[in-house]
DNA sequence: GAGGGTATGGACGAACGCGACGTGCGCCTG
DNA sequence: CAGGCGCACGTCGCGTTCGTCCATACCCTC
């Protein structure tokens, strides 16, 4: 995996499309080369399916951390949240009820990077305290939430008659 | 949104493809209707992009919960984890270091369903205690982890020369 | 039974997937 | 250093698939 692969994958993530033509426009990589690269990435298991889900482990972001963030959001929580969103590696950001204010899931290259992540958090003035938990194994880390449901349950819970 | 829409979206999630032909095989919905339906879902904002990311709020799974699970995994943690994975609504499951054993992110239809989720957890013999946190606002809930990085950082952290 | 929304089938042009082939570059070997 | 080999990249072309348009059929509702 080299720079071009990374640019390609990032373009897919940013644009939200797998269209070779669009990716060409964004990356300047010739369309045929995009095919060539994507095929290799599929063979290598970095790309998992037609939806371009990425195996973060294979890609090189194998470290997952869950961070609880306590913050003083005397302004609005959105304001603080947006600052946290700008920190690199933050994949999920939840504003929550209860003891902690934000819960963050981050995907990082290695455990050394966790340090930087935390110091990025602490460098945000509104952040008062953080509490990080290392993930040993991500047994499921999917955005395809519907997978975990049966069709019946979905119809049921959404109140749809057959 | 009706049964067919749900079947379509679930097929996309299960198969990991957006190919109309494959979806037709899986759902028995005519190809032209698949086009018709998917277009409507895009217009309605349920499907967000070419990667078929789903707006869970628009879909009807607008409630997010983060649950810490304490378990007795005298067997293997995989064994317990696999049981937890079977519980409907579990989108992410992390086996972690530290005080808690598992951290779960779940997407549910409404807050009533949280009750059932928790009782599903508690019904698992190995589970000793759970601690759930409601999400007020999911400020980012993306699987496209690369979005949060700049190209430079990615290259840097993966140790790729330009 | 008239009319709006919804669903389906067919047909056509456009886009895509993929294999075949050509080129350039580095590296080994004689 | 010449020649040969292999890999990565790019170009071309063809068969397939996709997406859209239009015409028709369905089905409630009034």
């Amino acid at each position: 995996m080299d720079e071009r692969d990374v640019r390609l994958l990032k373009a897919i993530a940013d644009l939200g499309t797998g269209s070779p033509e669009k990716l060409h426009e964004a990356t300047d990589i010739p369309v045929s080369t995009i095919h060539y690269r994507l095929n290799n990435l599929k063979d290598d298991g970095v790309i998992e399916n037609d939806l371009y889900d990425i195996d973060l482990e294979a890609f090189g972001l194998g470290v997952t951390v869950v961070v609880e963030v306590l913050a003083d959001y005397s302004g609005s929580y959105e304001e603080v949240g947006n600052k946290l969103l700008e920190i690199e590696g933050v994949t999920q950001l939840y504003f929550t009820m209860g003891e902690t204010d934000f819960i963050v899931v981050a995907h990082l290259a290695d455990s050394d990077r966790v340090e930087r992540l935390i110091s990025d958090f602490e460098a945000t003035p509104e952040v008062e305290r953080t509490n990080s938990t290392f993930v040993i194994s991500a047994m499921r880390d999917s955005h395809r939430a519907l997978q975990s449901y049966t069709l019946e349950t979905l119809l049921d819970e959404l109140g749809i008659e057959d």
Side-chain angles (χ1 to χ4, degrees), chain A:
Chain A
M1 198 158 50
D2 60 3
E3 193 208 331
R4 285 195 138 177
D5 285 329
V6 176
R7 265 170 52 210
L8 205 49
L9 293 171
K10 177 152 172 60
I12 292 174
D14 287 345
L15 301 180
T17 182
S19 149
E21 188 51 41
K22 296 253 179 61
L23 295 174
H24 162 67
E25 286 170 24
T27 61
D28 245 341
I29 300 174
V31 175
S32 66
T33 303
I34 291 179
H35 279 288
Y36 176 76
R37 295 278 184 163
L38 290 181
N39 266 330
N40 289 348
L41 289 169
K42 277 173 193 167
D43 289 346
D44 296 348
V46 177
I47 294 174
E48 295 183 332
N49 54 35
D50 292 358
L51 266 33
Y52 295 93
D53 286 336
I54 292 179
D55 182 331
L56 292 176
E57 189 100 23
F59 178 77
L61 295 178
V63 174
T64 307
V65 194
V66 181
V67 186
E68 296 174 10
V69 177
L70 260 90
D72 168 25
Y73 52 100
S74 47
S76 67
Y77 78 87
E78 279 106 338
E79 200 181 311
V80 182
N82 286 331
K83 286 188 187 178
L84 300 180
L85 277 181
E86 284 172 18
I87 295 171
E88 290 186 317
V90 172
T91 309
Q92 277 121 288
L93 174 64
Y94 303 123
F95 177 60
T96 60
M97 299 177 56
E99 296 174 29
T100 85
D101 300 311
F102 295 96
I103 296 181
V104 173
V105 179
H107 293 272
L108 307 168
D110 55 60
S111 33
D112 292 347
R113 308 296 173 172
V114 178
E115 258 183 77
R116 180 176 349 155
L117 182 79
I118 302 303
S119 66
D120 280 352
F121 281 127
E122 307 268 354
T124 308
E126 290 89 346
V127 170
E128 290 175 350
R129 213 162 56 75
T130 64
N131 177 12
S132 12
T133 306
F134 271 75
V135 170
I136 299 172
S137 165
M139 302 193 65
R140 178 184 288 155
D141 197 3
S142 161
H143 77 294
R144 284 180 286 155
L146 270 39
Q147 259 187 318
S148 77
Y149 283 97
T150 66
L151 183 58
E152 288 68 33
T153 311
L154 280 178
L155 296 173
D156 230 52
E157 308 221 343
L158 300 181
I160 295 169
E161 319 293 327
D162 348 337

